Amino acid sequence: MRVLVTGGAGFIGTHVTRALTAAGHDVSVLDSLHPAAHRPGAEPGDVGGITVHRADVRDPDAVDKALTAADAVVHQAAMVGMGVDLADLPDYVGCNDLGTAVLLAAMARHRVRRLVLASSMVVYGEGRYECAQHGQTRPDPRHTDDLAAGLFEPRCPRCGHPLQPGTVDEDDRLEPRSVYAATKLAQEHLAGAWARESGAHAIALRYHNVYGPGMPRDTPYSGVAAIFRSALEQGRAPQVFEDGAQRRDFVHVTDVAAANLAALAALDDQPRPGLRAYNIASGQPRTVADMAATLADAMHGPAPQVTGAFRAGDVRHIVASPRRARQEIGFTATVPFAAGLAEFAHAPLRA
């Protein structure tokens, strides 16, 4: 299959591009080399022998040219992470949502009717919780006063008692609580509307906390694993926010690349036009403190320091079921947590 990978020179996109090429697909790559993910002055170069065409998905002419011979698109291009502050808002909306809209309009013109979209677990917001008195409950956003006082667990909006976190599936309510999260959900909505109106098939892969070789280092947009590793390389203890008990699902980037391959193969099996979402996770959640300690051990560095610091917009726990991805597209994560972090401890990162 002839596949266009947008953002194919980025962290996840590089692994996806190489996996598609190894599977025998005819791959082309379009990437803007955005400075949030690439060093200043970076040249396009190639990924696994595939030439990178430097262009922005917001450029209709460039996208038209890239789609001329495509059968499918794997859309990885996006600004990621929490950002610095609200001054980033136009960049997030422009790169993620306007860029997706331009891409989808071009796909409609070229009658390209297969799309794999990189989405994110952040679309769930705080996820699923249970109250001992009131049952399943959706918490309100956490208050700054509570966070400053060290009260990190979400509380029941009806009785005020701490809630017990649960596991979300793809049909749970979507409630983004950051600018980045809002743009990822908007991407899903745009892709769903495009698919229904053009008779196309789309799959949204809701990535959980992806880590692995090639992560960008030392930027405000880096993932927590890269931030911790950069500290350890400098002989500093990883600084763990809140009390470190935040639960996440850390999934290796090679598993994410395999999920994209599985999704691409499954597109033609969808029973009707539209978008179908899948959680891409290991199914084995860990705390942030556990991840920091495991990485510190692998690097023989100082033990993590739990700081009590916090960021507005961070969610406390987000853990999702990978069952649908296993049953419907045949994807199961295979890289064990400890082995993946041991490899990551010494793998090359992106400057």
Side-chain angles (χ1 to χ4, degrees):
M1 192 182 300
R2 295 169 300 184
V3 184
L4 170 65
V5 182
T6 70
F11 163 44
I12 297 174
T14 295
H15 289 270
V16 171
T17 296
R18 288 174 176 157
L20 289 168
T21 303
H25 294 288
D26 182 1
V27 181
S28 57
V29 171
L30 184 149
D31 199 301
S32 70
L33 304 183
H34 195 286
H38 299 266
R39 68 183 184 277
E43 295 297 327
D46 68 87
V47 176
I50 305 299
T51 299
V52 176
H53 299 283
R54 185 171 190 168
D56 196 306
V57 289
R58 291 170 289 185
D59 180 345
D61 292 336
V63 174
D64 274 329
K65 183 177 180 181
L67 285 172
T68 300
D71 300 310
V73 173
V74 177
H75 185 31
Q76 304 290 322
M79 275 191 69
V80 301
M82 289 289 291
V84 177
D85 53 38
L86 288 176
D88 279 332
L89 203 158
D91 278 342
Y92 274 104
V93 174
C95 291
N96 298 358
D97 298 338
L98 177 58
T100 297
V102 170
L103 174 67
L104 294 172
M107 291 177 69
R109 288 193 299 272
H110 288 270
R111 301 183 182 275
V112 179
R113 295 197 170 105
R114 299 181 185 93
L115 173 69
V116 178
L117 170 68
S119 186
S120 172
M121 55 93 176
V122 296
V123 300
Y124 296 113
E126 277 287 357
R128 181 191 290 258
Y129 288 83
E130 296 285 335
C131 173
Q133 181 175 350
H134 297 106
Q136 186 174 329
T137 302
R138 176 71 65 157
D140 292 331
R142 296 183 295 168
H143 296 291
T144 301
D145 289 347
D146 285 343
L147 297 172
L151 301 174
F152 301 119
E153 295 295 340
R155 294 191 281 182
C156 176
R158 298 172 65 184
C159 68
H161 290 123
L163 298 171
Q164 291 297 314
T167 301
V168 296
D169 63 30
E170 290 85 351
D171 294 325
D172 272 300
R173 192 169 100 187
L174 306 178
E175 192 176 18
R177 294 190 172 181
S178 69
V179 168
Y180 170 60
T183 66
K184 297 308 287 184
L185 182 55
Q187 284 185 306
E188 288 196 21
H189 288 324
L190 290 168
W194 161 82
R196 290 187 296 272
E197 292 182 26
S198 64
H201 298 282
I203 285 176
L205 301 179
R206 292 174 181 163
Y207 301 159
H208 281 248
N209 287 70
V210 186
Y211 73 97
M215 285 188 83
R217 67 163 81 231
D218 300 330
T219 86
Y221 310 93
S222 296
V224 66
I227 293 171
F228 288 167
R229 188 182 129 166
S230 292
L232 288 162
E233 286 178 330
Q234 297 167 27
R236 296 184 289 108
Q239 303 295 293
V240 179
F241 280 12
E242 301 186 17
D243 59 359
Q246 310 94 300
R247 295 170 73 235
R248 297 289 189 270
D249 191 311
F250 297 96
V251 58
H252 196 273
V253 68
T254 57
D255 281 329
V256 172
N260 277 269
L261 274 175
L264 185 65
L267 280 171
D268 290 337
D269 296 330
Q270 288 184 286
R272 62 184 64 86
L275 179 140
R276 185 79 164 157
Y278 296 93
N279 293 321
I280 303 304
S282 73
Q284 299 179 352
R286 307 279 180 154
T287 67
V288 173
D290 187 17
M291 189 275 283
T294 302
L295 186 59
D297 286 346
M299 297 181 67
H300 307 289
Q305 294 178 350
V306 177
T307 67
F310 58 89
R311 294 190 303 180
D314 271 353
V315 297
R316 178 62 173 172
H317 307 291
I318 181 65
V319 176
S321 169
R323 183 185 304 111
R324 180 189 286 183
R326 181 177 65 251
Q327 293 177 343
E328 295 188 10
I329 66 173
F331 167 74
T332 300
T334 62
V335 179
F337 176 75
L341 282 178
E343 177 218 25
F344 174 68
H346 305 287
L349 298 185
R350 186 182 301 271

